[in-house]
Amino acid sequence: MSEDEHLTASVVGASGFAGGELCRLLTGHPDFDLVQATSREYENKTLGYVHPNLRGVDLRFSSPEDLDSVDVLFASTPHGVSMEHIDTFRDAAGTVVDLSADFRLNDAADYDEWYDGHTAPEHIADAVYALPELGREKLEGADLVASGGCNATATMLALKPLVDSGVITPDDRVVADLKVGSSEGGAGGGAASSHPERSGVVRPYAPTGHRHEAEIQQELGLSIAFTVHAVDMTRGAAATCHAFPSERVTTGDLWGAYREAYDDEPFVRLVAGGGGVYRYPEPKAVAGTNYAEVGFELDPSNGRVVAFSAIDNVMKGAAGQAVHAANVALGLDETAGLDFQGLHPVGAP
């Protein structure tokens, strides 16, 4: 692709939080032209009508029933929608990036266990999991990309170095505790997401059986104990993972494992007990960015490894990950359009 050529892109489901972030990223991307953003509810309204930060974008929502032919289609729809329309999406675009859970799992039987079945299992084998840190080589040239779940993303980034280095194995006990922001509930929200109900809470909402466990088991080979809490935060997912290796490890072993995994990763920052106020990964520090912060601490009294990760769930856990994966799939500079470093100081993310 020459310097003056752009790829056309559309966002289906553009009125949601992740859809709005996709529109923001694509309008600032050096290699994409956003030509269509769909919404049934807001058809013919400007993007800025729903997303006030996009008031300067000269584009209106259109009907998802009339899709433009584009190079890349980003589907930011509720779970179950993409599988119903995947043939239409793939007819409309050379590359489809789906942000729902519809193509994350490799086996249709897993959808029977973790979701409500699957209506287009013939497409599952074509899909490639989107998180580049887990294997960007599989993404190169992919034409159906399945963006990972936000809580799974945070957890896997915390644990991947321990798995890759053999510090933990599938036989070792791992417990993951997630604290997540209200934007995970989506723009539709609901009673539990209203401000009077959400403000000030630390509320367990998925003590067991969270669907993102399926991705962790698939991608890392770990069966973990996983609990998610809703907290008084707009953006962010913070994972605190407790791993109990069968063999004793040292702090030096852990530094080696994390540096080996992430020294060359453009969007992962290692934050492990240094100086200053922000000594461990913190969602506030990555709000609005595609960065993940990861860190660790060793408990020498019992051999426990505490692994941390912090992401913006709407960015690294959704729209940013999707654009990053699209960059890799299409052979673009993988950091293109994703260089925002965040803000400091800033209020609640």
Side-chain angles (χ1 to χ4, degrees):
M1 188 174 71
S2 67
E3 292 185 4
D4 57 350
E5 284 185 294
H6 281 202
L7 298 168
T8 54
S10 62
V11 177
V12 177
S15 61
F17 293 142
E21 286 292 74
L22 282 169
C23 292
R24 176 178 70 86
L25 293 172
L26 294 170
T27 55
H29 196 291
D31 300 307
F32 285 118
D33 280 334
L34 178 64
V35 298
Q36 185 175 35
T38 79
S39 170
R40 284 189 173 85
E41 182 177 0
Y42 298 105
E43 186 177 354
N44 294 322
K45 301 289 188 183
T46 64
L47 294 191
Y49 182 87
V50 176
H51 307 297
N53 58 320
L54 301 181
R55 284 177 176 146
V57 178
D58 185 19
L59 186 66
R60 293 179 178 270
F61 292 108
S62 59
S63 169
E65 303 299 330
D66 186 19
L67 294 179
D68 290 350
S69 178
V70 293
D71 295 307
V72 187
L73 182 150
F74 293 87
S76 184
T77 54
H79 303 322
V81 174
S82 287
M83 67 175 74
E84 294 291 341
H85 298 279
I86 188 62
D87 289 314
T88 301
F89 292 169
R90 298 188 82 175
D91 285 345
T95 301
V96 174
V97 183
D98 181 44
L99 278 70
S100 78
D102 287 6
F103 296 97
R104 292 173 187 164
L105 305 183
N106 296 336
D107 191 333
D110 290 332
Y111 284 93
D112 294 327
E113 179 179 355
W114 293 95
Y115 292 90
D116 300 313
H118 206 288
T119 61
E122 66 275 14
H123 292 274
I124 289 176
D126 296 336
V128 179
Y129 198 76
L131 190 59
E133 290 83 2
L134 296 185
R136 55 180 43 78
E137 66 282 351
K138 296 179 182 177
L139 280 166
E140 295 171 1
D143 58 14
L144 177 57
V145 175
S147 199
C150 48
N151 298 325
T153 294
T155 304
M156 290 190 295
L157 289 174
L159 295 174
K160 179 182 185 295
L162 303 180
V163 173
D164 288 352
S165 63
V167 169
I168 57 174
T169 71
D171 294 327
D172 293 326
R173 183 167 160 237
V174 181
V175 178
D177 182 275
L178 278 288
K179 304 294 192 299
V180 304
S182 57
S183 56
E184 279 204 9
S193 296
S194 68
H195 182 72
E197 299 293 350
R198 181 75 184 226
S199 180
V201 305
V202 181
R203 176 190 299 144
Y205 78 86
T208 63
H210 193 288
R211 289 170 166 177
H212 290 184
E213 290 181 34
E215 295 170 53
I216 299 167
Q217 186 168 336
Q218 171 181 284
E219 299 298 324
L220 291 189
L222 295 177
S223 179
I224 69 174
F226 191 86
T227 296
V228 184
H229 292 76
V231 301
D232 191 0
M233 177 171 66
T234 301
R235 288 174 178 254
T240 301
C241 304
H242 307 272
F244 300 85
S246 54
E247 302 290 335
R248 289 276 177 161
V249 296
T250 67
T251 299
D253 294 331
L254 297 178
W255 276 111
Y258 279 82
R259 285 173 171 155
E260 176 68 22
Y262 293 136
D263 267 0
D264 296 327
E265 287 295 342
F267 293 113
V268 181
R269 297 168 172 168
L270 186 53
V271 184
V277 175
Y278 297 93
R279 299 179 60 237
Y280 295 98
E282 170 59 58
K284 184 174 177 178
V286 294
T289 81
N290 192 52
Y291 287 93
E293 291 188 346
V294 299
F296 60 86
E297 188 70 45
L298 177 65
D299 186 345
S301 68
N302 58 22
R304 174 176 58 116
V305 178
V306 186
F308 304 99
S309 175
I311 64 170
D312 181 329
N313 58 289
V314 191
M315 279 291 296
K316 185 64 174 175
Q321 181 183 150
V323 171
H324 186 188
N327 287 344
V328 175
L330 293 162
L332 307 175
D333 176 356
E334 70 176 270
T335 66
L338 298 168
D339 56 357
F340 177 57
Q341 298 291 309
L343 300 171
H344 179 78
V346 67

